[in-house]
Amino acid sequence: MKPSQIEAIAAADNATVAILNALLTYLEKHGVVRREDFAAFLAASVEGWRAEGADEKLMRLVEIKARGMALEPPPSVQN
């Protein structure tokens, strides 16, 4: 894979995580969902994807991102 492709993937990944964090923070502030419930949903989703035979490297990456998102929003979206 070319360095430019890796950079594009990383940028898209960072943007996706930022968007999901902002959405989760918004939903949390309006009482729609709790961060803990979202974490449980993500954990169940990963287990389901594993059961369906999803790529294990991808699942580990998703778990790492999900754990980070489930802890607390980044300072940039805590306003």
Side-chain angles (χ1 to χ4, degrees):
M1 193 177 287
K2 296 178 184 178
S4 61
Q5 291 172 312
I6 293 170
E7 290 174 12
I9 291 169
D13 177 57
N14 289 340
T16 301
V17 169
I19 290 167
L20 285 174
N21 264 315
L23 176 62
L24 183 54
T25 299
Y26 174 83
L27 294 174
E28 215 175 8
K29 283 183 179 181
H30 289 82
V32 176
V33 69
R34 294 180 335 172
R35 198 163 284 270
E36 298 82 20
D37 295 336
F38 184 70
F41 165 75
L42 287 176
S45 297
V46 168
E47 289 309 309
W49 295 329
R50 274 199 175 108
E52 292 175 359
D55 180 70
E56 187 55 32
K57 286 183 181 179
L58 177 61
M59 290 299 93
R60 285 196 304 262
L61 177 62
V62 170
E63 280 183 317
I64 290 167
K65 295 286 184 177
R67 275 195 300 262
M69 287 175 52
L71 295 176
E72 63 181 52
S76 62
V77 295
Q78 288 184 357
N79 299 328

